[in-house]
Amino acid sequence: MNWSQDELSKIDQADDLKIAPFREDGAAYGTPTWIWAVVVDGYLYVRGYHGQKSRWYQAAVRQRAGRIIAAGITREVVFEPTDGPINHRIDDAYRAKYGKSSYLASMISSRARAATVRIAPREKS
């Protein structure tokens, strides 16, 4: 399932996103965590500031699903760890969107790159 252009545009224009992967029971959501999000080639990406040690990242990789809240949108989503050459484009998107932030260097570091996740809407059952 893909994002609608409207949803993706609104999320991309927002400064932040809250992510809440499922807890271990696979039913309850974890505490929403504020993170940066970028859009590259029609896909939504986030990274763990603390790399793979980020709690939300560990839960997202284990549970593969949860919820996001951004730009007035709340959606059930799936998480897919991402690596490879796309990370160069994701770095560029972070630079373009958050270039004035003192946190940018951390978000394009190898530590954060190792915790890159693509987020897609979850199909309704």
Side-chain angles (χ1 to χ4, degrees), residues 34-123:
W34 177 86
I35 58 174
W36 287 353
V38 295
V39 173
V40 176
D41 297 335
Y43 294 101
L44 180 63
Y45 295 95
V46 296
R47 287 182 170 163
Y49 180 84
H50 296 288
Q52 293 180 348
K53 293 181 180 180
S54 299
R55 286 184 188 166
W56 74 260
Y57 174 81
Q58 292 175 8
V61 169
R62 270 192 320 272
Q63 299 300 322
R64 302 279 183 173
R67 172 187 291 167
I68 64 159
I69 303 163
I73 300 166
T74 300
R75 288 294 303 265
E76 304 297 312
V77 296
V78 293
F79 305 116
E80 179 182 332
T82 303
D83 62 5
I86 189 66
N87 269 301
H88 299 298
R89 310 258 331 270
I90 296 169
D91 287 348
D92 290 342
Y94 272 99
R95 285 184 191 99
K97 187 171 180 180
Y98 301 106
K100 295 181 181 180
S101 173
S102 61
Y103 297 104
L104 176 64
S106 292
M107 294 306 293
I108 59 174
S109 70
S110 58
R111 177 186 69 190
R113 283 178 121 206
T116 303
V117 174
R118 184 169 75 181
I119 300 174
R122 191 167 69 189
E123 291 184 32

Side-chain angles (χ1 to χ4, degrees), residues 10-25:
K10 286 178 181 175
I11 293 169
D12 192 31
Q13 290 175 19
D15 286 335
D16 63 303
L17 175 144
K18 290 184 179 145
I19 191 167
F22 282 121
R23 294 187 185 274
E24 292 299 321
D25 65 6

Side-chain angles (χ1 to χ4, degrees), residues 2-15:
N2 293 324
W3 295 100
S4 74
Q5 278 303 115
D6 183 55
E7 286 176 317
L8 203 56
S9 178
K10 286 178 181 175
I11 293 169
D12 192 31
Q13 290 175 19
D15 286 335

